[in-house]
Every structure is written in structure tokens, then in C-alpha cells.
Amino acid sequence: MESENNYKYGIKSVFAQSLALAGTYFIQIGLGIEMICSTIIIGALTGTNRVKNETLTLTSEEQSWFGSLLFLFTPVGSVVSSVMLGWLGHNRCMIITNIPYIASQIMFYYADNVRTLYACSILMGMSVGYSGGPCSAYIGEVCEPKLRGTLMSATNVFYYVGSLIFTLIYAITLNWRLTVLISLSVPAINIVVLLLTPHSPMWLLAKGKPDKAQRTLSKLRGWVSHDKCSNEFSDMIVYTSDAYKAVPSDASDETDETSSWGQLLHPEVYRPFRLLMIYLFFANLLSGIQYGPYLVEVFTTFGAPVNVEFTIAFSVFLAILGGTTTVLSVNKLGKRFLTLFTLSICSTCYVLIGLIGIYWTDSKPITSWIVLILFLITTFMSSYGIMPIGWVLLTEIFPMKSRNITCSFCTALGYVMTFFMIRYYPEFCTFVQFYNTFTIFGTAGLFGCVYFYYFLPETENKSLQEISEFFK
């Protein structure tokens, strides 16, 4: 495939691709709401911040299950989407994502027992899992190489926008049921937007619709003439032809070359798969995922005299700033540098939080502010680098034929990893003590920096074909 430098498009191309990704951005807003739901509801039903006149209560055990079930059931949605993606296409699959989301929010509003909360968490998990493969594959196939990292990073911004909207509504209303009811407007709008979203040109080529694929590509590159995007379209034809080679006439002679599942054993698939799993592990560990559902308790333990609800909203605002900074800088700085820089900062801050919390106990009014500020720094830095870049890599590093399966599979495993981190965080915290968790996670992150220094390639401004060749 030719280098992206041969694709000469103007500002209209950026606008057209951003417009085409509007549906995925609304999905990210919804995901941000779904992810923050447990944090808000757990805070509203437990501890000193418990909402008055609320009949529901949650024990510590119920909190851990409610906060983590979402991540346990994401693989179910991922498996279903991986099966349906090639058949229905990205757009229809992304529309289906909204159905369990809508159902969960309605059930939240009427919930009167813990079992209903569990069911809502399961439905949200299926929605989150189902969206991962279609969204990642669609972004990877629609965007031109020089914009892929930037536009994919923008999804992280919209994810945090969703969380910020939800936390601000709750901070104002202090009524979590009303908050989830208002949030139903997001999937409603998303469905309308997705009905107007074009299919991926590569998916259309794979379905034997080259004329429609070329017209779609022309629109996505700024409504240019066919000649203007002929080089890129020719490269797409070569790329999809290599990915979908004809099956031998003798079915018994079919090899793993013609099988999406068989390609999982190829170096260009299992090598990036291994790298991405390690990346997601450290991204989750150093971005505070395990603390997420318990943020009210975490901020209370820090001891700084702040309004917890608005502090959570402020932390989400910092995440939005971090994500926006990623969008503006990833093309110039590259994903490798941002990964090493932000992971090292987050790791150092975590180690400092742990050491200050354990050993500097004679100046609580000062240290309470220091550890809170350090934690908020990690919120900004993780959303600036390691979190969005992990999901950008997901859209880039797998060959086309296995992309639908690997995107869904990696998304599922990433969320299963998150489930275990959240579900067993309370027990781990009790075992090693609260501040020691930061020291342990931060030290692990420093080892992660060493690993990525040697094994993480630079994918920014590389074509999908060039990235695939690197892993062979």
C-alpha cells in the first residue's frame, strides 16, 4: 500500500470523516454514562453521601458486584457483535448497541431491589461489549492514515463528555433516578444519527459493491472526484483482496489462510494481540479503573475538604482536557512517546500517593490535598496518553480479515480484565491497605514503561498495510 503522503485531501476531508464518525461519538457519550453509572449510584446508596428517603441500600459485597458485573458481561456482547458484524455491517451493529442501553436506564429508574441493579449492570455490559468491535473496526476503515490517530483519540473525549454530563446532572439534581432518565436522550439521538451514517468503503468492497464503495470513499474524503481518491481506492482494493482471498474449490483444501479464525495463529495477529493485552492491562491499572466505582470512598479517604460530587465531575473534566490534548498532539508526538511519557508520570504519582499516605501522616491537612492533586494528575495524564492510545491501537494493528474478530475479542478480554480489577479491589485493599495499593500499582507501571520502550512500535502516520507488515 502506498504511503499516506500520496493521499492529498483538504479540510473538507477532515470534516467529512468527522461527520461520518458522529454516530461512534454518540456511542462513546453513552459508554461514558454507562461506565460512571455505578460510581454515582453506589455513592448515592452508601456511606455519608447516601441520598435521603432512598429505600435501596448496598452492602460492601453488593457494591463490588454491582460495580464490576458490567465488565464481566461485556464478552457476551463482544461475541455476539463479532458474529453479526460481517453480516450486518458496522452501522446496524452500532444501532443495536443502543437497545440494551435504553432498557438498562429504564430499569434503573424503576429499580427497587439489588437484583434489578445487577440486571441493569449486565445489560450495560452487553451494550458496551457489543459496541467495541463495530466502533473500532469502523473508525479504522473509514479514516485516512494521517487522521486515524487523531479522530480515534477524539472518541475518548466524547467518552468523558458523557461521564461529565452524567455527573454534573447528578451534582445538580442529587437524584440519581432522574439523572438516568434524562440520559435516555443520548441513545435516542444516536439511533437517528447512525441511520444517516455511511457504510465503511472496505466493508462494501468485501460485500462485492465496488461502485458504492468508491462513491462512499469520495464522500468521506471531502466529496471529491473519483480521480482524486483513485490511489487510495486502488490500495483499498489490493488490501481487501489480500484479506479475502478466494476459497479453494476443494473445501477440504481450505487452509488457515482463508479462515478468519485460522489467522489468529499467524504472527501478524498473535503478536499485536499479545502487545495489546499487555497494553490494556497497564492502561487499566494506571488510569484508576479499579478505583472508579469507589471514587466517593476514595476521595473521602484522602480527606481533603471538598464536595465529593463536584470533585468527581472535576476529575471527569480533567479527563476531557487530557483527551482533547491527545487529539491535538498525537499526530506530532506519536503514540509511542505519549505512552511512555504518560505511563511514567502516572506510575510516579501512584508511588508518591502510596508513600505519602503511609509515611507522611503528621500533616494531614497538607497531605490530603497533595494526594488528591496527585490523583487528579493521573486522571489527566492517563486520559492524555495510555487510555485513548490503547483503543487507537486496537483499530490499527490487526489485519483486515481478522479485524472484526480480534477487535471484539480484545475488547471483551480488556473488560474481563477490568472486571477482576474492580471486583477484587476491595479485598485487595483490605489485604494490603488502601495507600499500599497505589505503591504496588505504580511500581508495576514502571516495569510497564520498560516493556513498552523495547516492544511498542510507532504506528502514527502509518498505513494499515505498513502496520500489518511490521508484525509479520
Side-chain angles (χ1 to χ4, degrees):
M1 180 176 286
E2 297 184 35
S3 170
E4 58 91 14
N5 292 326
N6 291 323
Y7 306 150
K8 303 295 184 181
Y9 306 115
I11 191 64
K12 286 185 177 180
S13 176
V14 179
F15 175 75
Q17 290 170 69
S18 301
L19 194 63
L21 297 182
T24 64
Y25 293 154
F26 267 100
I27 285 180
Q28 292 302 311
I29 292 175
L31 294 184
I33 291 173
E34 290 175 298
M35 292 297 189
I36 204 71
C37 263
S38 60
T39 302
I40 298 301
I41 295 174
I42 288 174
L45 301 182
T46 59
T48 58
N49 294 277
R50 176 178 167 77
V51 175
K52 296 179 180 178
N53 302 322
E54 177 59 61
T55 58
L56 271 173
T57 59
L58 290 174
T59 65
S60 178
E61 179 78 6
E62 290 168 342
Q63 290 177 49
S64 64
W65 277 111
F66 174 54
S68 60
L69 272 176
L70 180 151
F71 302 99
L72 181 62
F73 279 84
T74 52
V76 178
S78 296
V79 169
V80 175
S81 71
S82 66
V83 173
M84 300 177 67
L85 186 52
W87 173 43
L88 294 178
H90 310 84
N91 304 46
R92 298 186 186 98
C93 284
M94 287 190 286
I95 290 174
I96 294 173
T97 294
N98 293 280
I99 296 175
Y101 174 27
I102 292 173
S104 68
Q105 301 303 292
I106 293 175
M107 290 173 63
F108 265 137
Y109 183 76
Y110 292 104
D112 59 0
N113 57 68
V114 175
R115 290 189 299 274
T116 303
L117 296 182
Y118 289 168
C120 292
S121 187
I122 291 171
L123 283 172
M124 290 192 300
M126 295 177 66
S127 173
V128 171
Y130 194 93
S131 69
C135 288
S136 299
Y138 184 76
I139 294 171
E141 295 179 11
V142 163
C143 298
E144 57 183 294
K146 69 178 181 180
L147 295 177
R148 191 188 311 119
T150 299
L151 294 179
M152 181 60 189
S153 299
T155 62
N156 192 58
V157 176
F158 286 95
Y159 169 87
Y160 286 115
V161 165
S163 296
L164 178 62
I165 291 172
F166 196 83
T167 53
L168 283 178
I169 293 174
Y170 175 71
I172 294 170
T173 64
L174 293 179
N175 186 325
W176 67 270
R177 295 181 190 271
L178 177 60
T179 303
V180 297
L181 189 63
I182 294 173
S183 72
L184 278 173
S185 59
V186 172
I189 296 173
N190 188 25
I191 291 173
V192 175
V193 172
L194 287 170
L195 289 172
L196 303 174
T197 300
H199 286 290
S200 154
M202 289 189 183
W203 184 80
L204 291 171
L205 280 173
K207 290 298 179 180
K209 301 178 180 179
D211 293 338
K212 188 173 182 180
Q214 189 171 32
R215 290 195 300 271
T216 301
L217 182 63
S218 297
K219 293 177 181 178
L220 291 171
R221 297 304 179 256
W223 299 274
V224 298
S225 65
H226 291 177
D227 291 339
K228 183 73 172 179
C229 59
S230 60
N231 286 342
E232 185 177 7
F233 187 67
S234 298
D235 291 340
M236 282 187 176
I237 292 175
V238 173
Y239 185 50
T240 53
S241 297
D242 289 342
Y244 293 94
K245 294 179 180 179
V247 179
S249 57
D250 183 358
S252 63
D253 292 336
E254 182 177 345
T255 67
D256 58 358
E257 292 288 344
T258 60
S259 166
S260 298
W261 289 100
Q263 286 206 356
L264 298 180
L265 301 177
H266 290 188
E268 63 267 31
V269 179
Y270 72 72
R271 286 176 181 169
F273 173 81
R274 178 180 59 201
L275 173 67
L276 189 61
M277 285 296 97
I278 295 173
Y279 195 105
L280 292 180
F281 171 77
F282 284 108
N284 283 347
L285 195 68
L286 276 301
S287 63
I289 287 290
Q290 63 275 20
Y291 300 109
Y294 317 105
L295 275 182
V296 173
E297 181 181 350
V298 169
F299 288 153
T300 302
T301 304
F302 284 161
V306 295
N307 180 289
V308 173
E309 287 78 14
F310 278 104
T311 303
I312 293 175
F314 179 69
S315 70
V316 177
F317 174 72
L318 288 177
I320 293 176
L321 289 181
T324 304
T325 308
T326 309
V327 173
L328 299 175
S329 62
V330 65
N331 189 254
K332 293 182 178 180
L333 297 179
K335 304 183 187 76
R336 175 180 164 83
F337 172 80
L338 287 181
T339 295
L340 295 173
F341 175 65
T342 58
L343 183 60
S344 61
I345 294 296
C346 289
S347 301
T348 303
C349 287
Y350 268 37
V351 171
L352 289 175
I353 291 173
L355 294 178
I356 291 172
I358 292 294
Y359 297 106
W360 191 3
T361 58
D362 56 351
S363 303
K364 191 65 175 178
I366 298 176
T367 59
S368 63
W369 279 106
I370 293 176
V371 294
L372 176 61
I373 291 171
L374 287 172
F375 186 85
L376 293 176
I377 289 174
T378 66
T379 300
F380 173 82
M381 296 305 297
S382 63
S383 64
Y384 174 39
I386 51 178
M387 281 305 289
I389 289 173
W391 298 110
V392 176
L393 291 174
L394 178 65
T395 70
E396 297 179 324
I397 61 178
F398 294 110
M400 182 178 177
K401 186 172 183 180
S402 62
R403 184 178 300 133
N404 290 345
I405 293 173
T406 49
C407 281
S408 297
F409 194 43
C410 287
T411 301
L413 289 181
Y415 283 122
V416 168
M417 196 184 300
T418 303
F419 162 76
F420 283 104
M421 288 183 178
I422 293 176
R423 172 63 186 86
Y424 294 104
Y425 164 74
E427 287 87 346
F428 183 72
C429 182
T430 301
F431 180 70
V432 302
Q433 297 184 359
F434 174 72
Y435 282 107
N436 281 333
T437 64
F438 288 95
T439 305
I440 294 170
F441 298 153
T443 303
L446 294 175
F447 283 102
C449 291
V450 175
Y451 175 84
F452 292 131
Y453 179 82
Y454 287 104
F455 295 105
L456 180 66
E458 181 57 74
T459 62
E460 189 63 22
N461 288 322
K462 304 292 185 182
S463 70
L464 297 179
Q465 183 67 25
E466 290 170 332
I467 296 170
S468 181
E469 289 294 330
F470 174 85
F471 287 103
K472 286 185 178 180

